[in-house]
């Protein structure tokens, strides 16, 4: 399946917000999501953004059953260890269920790693939720 | 005991680096500290700093046995939750043993909380190492 991984822009925040909720539903905690796409727009696209985000996009003819073409995302930010220095933290990595098994999760993860290197950061990348990639590996 | 809490500046990095090592020695893991004061200077005092830091300073006549006047620090950075939004993470909070019991740890923590509010952030503040404050409370 054709897809591309690209840096998210402000206009993607509604889609990212939708997928954040999908992930929370999967984790059986949808009531824990307290932020909307407006907060994502404000916090991710200001002068000193609080996070960076990549999205996976499929062509129009591969859109989801509901008509979505943005089908996955990886959201990460920078942290700091007083022992090891600069680090990245992968907060979420998500691919919509019907698009799993196509290498999208792996590509998102590779691209995050690449962004880490481009930023002149060390190779430390921590993650909380890799469940979707694991699922994808299981199905591919 | 007189002391002041202030934002760290680039020139404090040698002192912060020394106290990072003291904390690591206390935790019995001094060999885990891989960064020097040069990295702290580069990462904390660039255009988009990776962390923020407060230091506690005592007057010259209260200096430590070894002659130090910077006797504590709180180092924190910003993180992002896709459920809750902006957050702060307190990486280290440290007060030199001979200065504990004077409210320095508590003042550092209050000032961190104040900086959080001034920055227009929500009240979420996470911490890994609060052991020094606990010790101070025990002794005061």
């Amino acid at each position: 399946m054709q897809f591309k991984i690209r840096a998210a822009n402000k206009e993607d925040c509604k889609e990212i917000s939708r997928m954040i909720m999908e992930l929370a539903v999967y984790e059986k905690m949808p009531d824990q999501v307290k932020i909307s796409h407006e907060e994502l727009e404000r916090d991710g696209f200001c002068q000193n953004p609080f996070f960076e985000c990549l999205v996976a996009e499929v062509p129009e003819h591969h859109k989801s059953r509901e008509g979505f073409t943005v089908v996955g995302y990886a959201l990460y930010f920078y942290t700091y260890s007083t022992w090891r220095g600069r680090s990245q933290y992968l907060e979420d990595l998500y691919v919509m269920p019907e698009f799993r098994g196509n290498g999208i999760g792996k590509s998102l993860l590779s691209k995050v790693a690449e962004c880490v290197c481009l930023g002149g950061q060390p190779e430390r990348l921590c993650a909380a939720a890799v469940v979707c990639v694991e699922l994808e590996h299981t199905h591919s």
Side-chain angles (χ1 to χ4, degrees), chain A residues 1 5 16 18 36 54 62-63 71 74 85 87 99-100 106 113 118 124 128 131-132:
Chain A
M1 182 183 283
I5 308 295
I16 298 165
R18 165 183 59 79
S36 66
L54 299 173
H62 279 313
K63 66 186 177 190
V71 302
S87 305
F99 292 93
R100 292 179 194 164
K106 190 176 171 185
L118 282 175
R124 292 189 71 229
V131 63
C132 296

Side-chain angles (χ1 to χ4, degrees), chain A residues 6-139:
Chain A
R6 60 170 174 79
N9 56 50
K10 205 168 177 173
E11 290 66 40
D12 293 311
C13 287
K14 276 191 183 168
E15 296 300 289
I16 298 165
S17 189
R18 165 183 59 79
M19 292 186 286
I20 286 171
M21 183 53 83
E22 287 179 21
L23 181 54
V25 167
Y26 171 81
E27 291 174 333
K28 298 188 179 18
M29 288 184 274
D31 56 320
Q32 292 299 308
V33 181
K34 307 293 185 197
I35 62 165
S36 66
H37 71 273
E38 285 94 345
E39 273 94 35
L40 290 175
E41 288 171 5
R42 180 196 65 194
D43 298 337
F45 299 91
C46 51
Q47 197 172 4
N48 292 329
F50 283 78
F51 63 84
E52 295 185 7
C53 190
L54 299 173
V55 292
E57 193 170 37
V58 294
E60 189 65 22
H61 63 276
H62 279 313
K63 66 186 177 190
S64 76
R65 282 186 290 269
E66 298 86 358
F68 300 122
T69 52
V70 177
V71 302
Y73 74 102
L75 187 147
Y76 61 98
F77 50 78
Y78 299 95
T79 64
Y80 204 78
S81 158
T82 46
W83 289 0
R84 307 293 295 270
R86 302 173 177 186
S87 305
Q88 273 75 20
Y89 188 88
L90 181 62
E91 172 75 3
D92 283 354
L93 178 62
Y94 178 75
V95 177
M96 289 173 69
E98 66 186 278
F99 292 93
R100 292 179 194 164
N102 294 296
I104 297 177
K106 190 176 171 185
S107 293
L108 277 167
L109 197 54
S110 301
K111 194 75 178 177
V112 170
E114 198 180 300
C115 293
V116 167
C117 294
L118 282 175
Q121 308 303 321
E123 68 285 3
R124 292 189 71 229
L125 175 66
C126 307
V130 290
V131 63
C132 296
V133 171
E134 283 167 8
L135 279 169
E136 181 168 11
H137 279 185
T138 310
H139 294 131

